[in-house]
C-alpha cells in the first residue's frame, strides 16, 4: 500500500485491512485530503483479491469530528458547487466489499455520515453520534438527511438533524445505527474479529449479498426481490457454491477461492 498522510493503512491480515483516521490534532476532521485518501485506498482494495473486508476506525476519544470546518469555511457558493467531496463520498459508497466501522468517542457531522457508509458498526460505549451542522447554519451534506432517516427512522433523524443533539452508543444500537456496543477498548478487536469471520466467507456471495442488501434502500420490494433472485441464480454458477455444499455433505470446512 502507498504511504498516506491523513490515514494509517495496515498490512493485510487474514484478508482484512484496517484504515485508521489519523488527524488527532484536528480530531480527525475530514478534510478533502483525508476523504480522498479513504476513497483512494478503498478503490485500490476493491481491485485486490487478497483483501476481503475492511475495518475503518478513528481515535479513542474521537472517531471523526466531521467535515473540516476551517477548510470548508473558505468556500463560497461557487466553491461548494465545485467541491470534489461528493465524488469522494460516492466512491466510498460504491466500495463493493464489507466495510466495518469501529467507533469510539465522537462521530459528528461528516463523521456520523462516514459511519453510515459502513456496512456494520461496532461502537464503544463512549461513542456519541450527532449531526450538529444546524449549529453552523447548514445541513448535513453527505447523506445525513437520507441515510440517517432510512437507518434510525423519521422521528429520531428529525430530532438529531434539527436539534443537533447527540445520541449515545446504546441509543444508536436501539435505533439500528450500530449493531453492537462494546467496552471502548474492545470495539476495534471485535470489529476486526468480525471482519476476519466475513473474510473467510465466499467473496462473490458476500459481495452480492452486500449489493442486494444496499439495493433495498434504492428500490421497491418487488424490484429488490428480483435483484435478489438474479444474484441467487448467478451464485449457482460459482465454484464456491459447489465447494460450500460439498464441504457440508462431507462434514469438513469449506475452502473458498472467490470463483
Ligand atoms: N473541523 C476542523 N477542525 C476541528 C473540527 C472540525 N470539524 N473539530 C475539531 N477541530 C479542531 C479544533 O478547532 C481544535 O483545533 P485547534 O487546536 O487548532 O484550536 C482541535 O481540533 C481540537 O478541538 P477541541 O479543542 O474542540 O477538542 P475537544 O476534544 O475539546 O472536542 C469535539 C472535540 C467535541 C469533537 C469538538 O472539537 C467539536 O465539537 N468539533 C466540531 C464538531 C462539529 O460541529 N462537526 C460538524 C462539522 S460540519 C460537517 O461535518 C458538515 C459540513 C461542514 C461545513 C462547514 C462550513 C462552514
Amino acid at each position: 500500500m502507498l504511504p498516506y498522510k491523513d490515514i494509517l493503512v495496515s498490512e493485510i491480515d487474514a484478508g482484512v485491512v484496517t484504515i485508521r483516521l489519523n488527524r488527532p490534532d484536528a480530531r480527525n476532521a475530514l478534510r478533502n485530503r483525508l476523504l480522498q485518501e479513504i476513497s483512494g485506498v478503498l478503490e485500490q482494495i476493491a481491485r485486490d483479491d487478497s483483501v476481503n473486508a475492511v475495518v475503518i476506525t478513528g481515535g479513542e476519544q474521537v472517531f471523526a469530528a466531521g467535515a473540516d470546518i476551517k477548510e470548508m469555511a473558505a468556500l463560497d457558493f461557487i466553491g461548494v458547487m465545485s467541491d470534489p467531496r461528493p465524488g469522494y463520498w460516492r466512491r466510498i459508497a460504491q466500495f463493493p466489499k464489507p466495510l466495518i466501522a469501529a467507533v469510539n468517542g465522537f462521530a459528528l457531522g461528516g463523521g456520523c455520515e462516514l459511519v453510515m457508509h459502513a456496512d456494520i458498526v461496532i461502537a464503544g460505549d463512549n461513542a456519541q453520534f450527532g449531526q450538529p451542522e444546524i449549529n453552523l447554519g447548514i445541513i448535513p451534506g453527505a447523506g445525513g438527511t437520507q441515510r440517517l432517516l432510512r437507518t434510525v427512522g423519521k422521528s429520531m433523524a428529525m430530532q438529531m438533524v434539527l436539534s443537533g443533539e447527540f445520541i449515545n452508543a446504546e441509543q444508536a444500537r436501539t435505533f439500528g445505527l450500530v449493531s453492537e456496543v462494546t467496552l471502548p477498548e474492545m470495539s476495534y478487536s471485535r470489529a476486526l474479529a468480525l471482519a476476519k469471520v466475513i473474510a473467510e466467507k465466499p467473496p462473490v456471495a458476500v459481495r452480492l449479498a452486500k449489493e442486494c442488501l444496499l439495493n433495498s434502500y434504492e428500490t421497491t420490494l418487488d424490484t429488490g426481490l428480483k435483484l435478489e433472485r438474479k444474484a441467487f441464480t448467478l451464485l449457482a454458477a460459482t465454484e464456491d457454491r459447489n465447494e460450500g455444499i460439498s464441504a457440508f455433505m462431507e462434514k469438513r470446512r469449506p475452502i473458498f477461492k472467490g470463483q
Side-chain angles (χ1 to χ4, degrees):
M1 301 284 177
L2 293 169
Y4 296 95
K5 189 167 169 24
D6 285 1
I7 58 175
L8 299 172
V9 180
S10 76
E11 297 293 323
I12 302 166
D13 173 17
V16 178
V17 164
T18 295
I19 300 171
R20 189 175 293 276
L21 311 186
N22 189 35
R23 291 189 74 205
D25 291 348
R27 302 300 182 266
N28 289 337
L30 305 170
R31 64 174 168 182
N32 280 2
R33 179 181 181 125
L34 193 155
L35 280 181
Q36 185 181 23
E37 288 186 0
I38 295 175
S39 63
V41 75
L42 288 179
E43 281 184 335
Q44 206 180 327
I45 290 170
R47 293 190 297 270
D48 184 342
D49 288 342
S50 61
V51 184
N52 291 332
V54 172
V55 175
I56 188 161
T57 192
E60 288 173 15
Q61 301 302 324
V62 181
F63 174 77
D68 190 314
I69 297 171
K70 294 166 190 168
E71 184 180 63
M72 291 204 72
L75 300 180
D76 60 6
F77 169 74
I78 298 297
V80 174
M81 283 271 285
S82 54
D83 197 355
R85 299 171 69 84
Y88 302 140
W89 284 115
R90 208 162 26 250
R91 275 145 58 190
I92 295 168
Q94 285 167 352
F95 180 59
K97 300 179 183 182
L99 181 62
I100 302 173
V103 182
N104 284 346
F106 294 103
L108 306 178
C112 190
E113 290 165 313
L114 181 58
V115 167
M116 286 184 273
H117 280 70
D119 302 307
I120 300 171
V121 184
I122 308 296
D125 63 16
N126 66 344
Q128 296 203 58
F129 301 85
Q131 298 289 164
E133 288 90 343
I134 202 78
N135 298 325
L136 301 170
I138 55 171
I139 64 169
T145 66
Q146 301 301 302
R147 288 195 183 87
L148 188 63
L149 186 138
R150 285 164 169 79
T151 306
V152 303
K154 177 185 163 190
S155 187
M156 183 50 89
M158 286 282 184
Q159 189 172 326
M160 290 172 70
V161 172
L162 302 187
S163 75
E165 285 181 4
F166 305 161
I167 59 171
N168 63 30
E170 205 43 62
Q171 287 172 298
R173 194 184 62 77
T174 304
F175 281 90
L177 184 57
V178 314
S179 59
E180 283 182 28
V181 177
T182 66
L183 291 171
E185 59 272 27
M186 299 296 289
S187 63
Y188 173 66
S189 56
R190 174 62 186 137
L192 185 62
L194 194 55
K196 287 181 178 174
V197 167
I198 296 170
E200 284 187 352
K201 307 295 180 196
V204 182
V206 168
R207 181 178 177 150
L208 288 177
K210 170 170 171 167
E211 197 177 313
C212 287
L213 285 157
L214 288 180
N215 257 316
S216 69
Y217 282 141
E218 314 280 343
T219 60
T220 62
L221 177 61
D222 190 48
T223 306
L225 289 171
K226 283 181 186 137
L227 288 168
E228 181 191 81
R229 193 69 215 168
K230 283 207 164 67
F232 186 87
T233 307
L234 203 65
L235 287 167
T238 61
E239 283 179 27
D240 280 349
R241 176 183 181 269
N242 292 340
E243 168 63 8
I245 293 171
S246 302
F248 174 78
M249 302 290 192
E250 293 159 16
K251 300 187 188 301
R252 62 173 174 82
R253 279 173 69 88
I255 301 166
F256 296 118
K257 294 185 178 149
Q259 289 163 2

